[in-house]
Amino acid sequence: MKNIAILGSTGSIGQQALEVIENYPERFSVEVLTAYNSFDLLIEQAIKFHPNVVVIGNEAKYDIVRQALKNYETKVYAGANAIAQVVEMGSIDLVLTAMVGYSGLIPTVNAIKAGKNIALANKETLVVAGDLVNRLAIDNMVDIIPVDSEHSAIFQCLIGESLNQVEKVFLTCSGGPFHGMDKKMLEGVKVQDALKHPNWEMGAKITIDSATLMNKGFEVIEAKWLFGLTFRQIEVVVHPQSIIHSMVQFNDGSIKAQMGLPDMRLPIQYALSFPERIKNTFQRLNFMDLKCLTFSAPNTKIFRNLALAYEALQKGGNLACILNASNEVAVDAFLSGNISFTDIWVVNEQIMGKSTFISHPSLTDYIDSDQEARKYASEMIRFLQFKH
Ligand code: MN3
């Protein structure tokens, strides 16, 4: 029996993880659930899965959750510090990190320090502080198993292989809803268009990141840290059908691909059951239904975020942390209607140039860099609003 903590259980990944867990009560048990704001769904999940502990991030919602669960054995806590602490509980075997953005960093760091294996859905943890998180994982002999579909694909292709025989990886990318659009068209993109992803149902933040290709940029950085690659070994390929989830090319030129229907429950289940594969009833891919699989290069001249991610990777230090912080602020501003779609990467590029560069950051440096970049990004957004 694996006892699982799900950080971000009310989000898209969290809910799908619970769907998987529900099918295998003899294998998985839910030990901890956390949510930031969605108290009603958290309560519902707690009643259904009876975890040992639930944490609601937003302390203003504590009383509602506690009242609703007062007749159950589940303990209720509130606040970001509580989330960062519960991951250390002795009874937890695996922590699924599925919260949004930078908020995933500290709880993940604590879980690793406590020796917990990580099923990593929160890619920002590796984007912000990949070197530090990797070192901690090695020191504490912790496995980081990717949940992101592309990284799960690479991970699966690498089973039985040596990392030093990898020539490169192809990270596939759906291209998002705006693939092929020019600069003028992108400037007029509306929030509701950007929130419609062609292949994957996801939360708002990652859906916008997919549309701007920031998500793909973060995935390049994530791949670097998960698999020990250089930026030259990671190539993004636009593959709108999302059937090949990524590929690995070895030093003899042979290529392995991992394929399947685009269904996040598959990489989630694999991360939870690894090293085993367990039988399920998910729909199978029928090759006869596929008309064609297509591939093309992403346009990084237009979709600047992908180029910025490569730049952050190449220069290293705290630059990816800065990019992530700026991007979180810019995406919020776009979702609130304060800046245009293309302003997102205009802000990111400026803030990367403006923030203090640190070549070998500590955890405190990362926290400070995140703060500084957010402050600069907010200032720039106020300026852009004024200009409009
Ligand atoms: Mn992905």
Side-chain angles (χ1 to χ4, degrees):
M1 181 72 91
K2 251 185 217 172
N3 292 324
I4 298 172
I6 305 180
L7 310 185
S9 66
T10 58
S12 166
I13 297 287
Q15 291 186 54
Q16 293 179 80
L18 286 172
E19 251 181 77
V20 168
I21 288 171
E22 198 181 351
N23 291 328
Y24 305 98
E26 71 293 349
R27 280 174 181 272
F28 304 123
S29 108
V30 179
E31 188 64 12
V32 173
L33 296 174
T34 81
Y36 181 68
N37 229 351
S38 306
F39 62 93
D40 38 7
L41 185 52
L42 182 65
I43 291 165
E44 203 181 293
Q45 292 175 339
I47 291 170
K48 186 163 176 187
F49 292 92
H50 36 84
N52 194 347
V53 170
V54 299
V55 187
I56 180 82
N58 182 350
E59 292 177 39
K61 304 280 161 52
Y62 172 68
D63 283 331
I64 307 174
V65 180
R66 199 196 44 171
Q67 270 302 315
L69 297 176
K70 67 172 189 243
N71 295 325
Y72 297 86
E73 279 179 28
T74 300
K75 297 186 231 14
V76 180
Y77 301 110
N81 285 337
I83 295 176
Q85 279 167 25
V86 290
V87 296
E88 298 168 2
M89 283 167 50
S91 51
I92 297 170
D93 299 312
L94 179 75
V95 178
L96 170 63
T97 66
M99 64 280 267
V100 179
Y102 176 82
S103 65
L105 178 62
I106 303 296
T108 308
V109 164
N110 284 3
I112 295 172
K113 283 183 178 164
K116 309 301 180 189
N117 286 332
I118 305 292
L120 187 96
N122 176 261
K123 69 192 76 180
E124 288 86 346
T125 298
L126 287 179
V127 170
V128 169
D131 58 337
L132 189 142
V133 170
N134 260 359
R135 262 183 284 129
L136 280 175
I138 292 165
D139 290 349
N140 293 283
M141 292 189 295
V142 155
D143 287 332
I144 299 181
I145 306 146
V147 171
D148 211 345
S149 59
E150 296 80 357
H151 304 76
S152 176
I154 295 169
F155 187 81
Q156 293 179 55
C157 291
L158 287 173
I159 300 286
E161 305 283 355
S162 300
L163 276 176
N164 61 9
Q165 288 164 6
V166 172
E167 202 162 75
K168 68 192 294 188
V169 302
F170 297 96
L171 212 56
T172 54
C173 167
S174 70
F178 309 131
H179 177 59
M181 279 193 183
D182 63 20
K183 201 160 168 273
K184 260 267 83 51
M185 290 161 86
L186 286 171
E187 277 165 9
V189 157
K190 294 196 177 62
V191 173
Q192 58 269 34
D193 303 324
L195 283 175
K196 277 187 217 119
H197 193 276
N199 301 347
W200 301 97
E201 277 282 344
M202 306 174 289
K205 163 73 168 44
I206 187 169
T207 304
I208 301 301
D209 283 346
S210 296
T212 66
L213 297 200
M214 187 73 273
N215 181 58
K216 205 49 57 180
F218 287 162
E219 289 181 352
V220 171
I221 300 172
E222 185 185 8
K224 178 214 158 75
W225 294 115
L226 281 171
F227 308 114
L229 303 165
T230 67
F231 70 95
R232 285 192 188 83
Q233 288 176 290
I234 308 167
E235 185 173 337
V236 173
V237 177
V238 177
H239 167 50
Q241 298 82 17
S242 296
I243 295 296
I244 295 181
H245 299 312
S246 278
M247 300 176 266
V248 178
Q249 178 174 307
F250 296 91
N251 57 10
D252 59 355
S254 180
I255 297 171
K256 280 191 187 175
Q258 188 267 337
M259 306 168 84
L261 290 168
D263 182 343
M264 277 310 292
R265 291 174 305 171
L266 195 51
I268 292 168
Q269 179 184 302
Y270 187 72
L272 298 183
S273 68
F274 175 79
E276 263 185 275
R277 285 186 186 276
I278 49 185
K279 198 169 170 52
N280 63 28
T281 55
F282 302 161
Q283 199 192 331
R284 278 10 182 189
L285 172 63
N286 180 355
F287 279 92
M288 307 315 147
D289 291 340
L290 296 175
K291 284 185 208 73
C292 66
L293 300 180
T294 60
F295 306 92
S296 60
N299 189 338
T300 51
K301 288 211 174 65
I302 290 180
F303 291 84
R304 294 296 303 148
N305 276 343
L306 184 54
L308 294 177
Y310 271 100
E311 189 190 325
L313 203 47
Q314 198 175 347
K315 293 186 180 158
N318 62 341
L319 214 47
C321 170
I322 292 166
L323 174 58
N324 175 70
S326 167
N327 183 65
E328 283 188 23
V329 175
V331 169
D332 265 350
F334 170 68
L335 286 171
S336 317
N338 294 330
I339 60 171
S340 74
F341 185 76
T342 51
D343 280 342
I344 296 174
W345 51 69
V346 172
V347 171
N348 290 346
E349 190 150 21
Q350 286 272 339
I351 302 313
M352 275 174 72
K354 186 174 175 178
S355 297
T356 316
F357 180 73
I358 303 169
S359 54
H360 297 283
S362 65
L363 183 58
T364 321
D365 291 330
Y366 282 124
I367 294 168
D368 292 346
S369 300
D370 176 81
Q371 291 290 321
E372 185 191 62
R374 281 171 199 273
K375 188 176 129 247
Y376 287 158
S378 306
E379 283 168 12
M380 185 174 170
I381 285 159
R382 277 196 293 277
F383 170 76
L384 287 171
Q385 271 178 278
F386 180 72
K387 216 177 64 174
H388 280 172

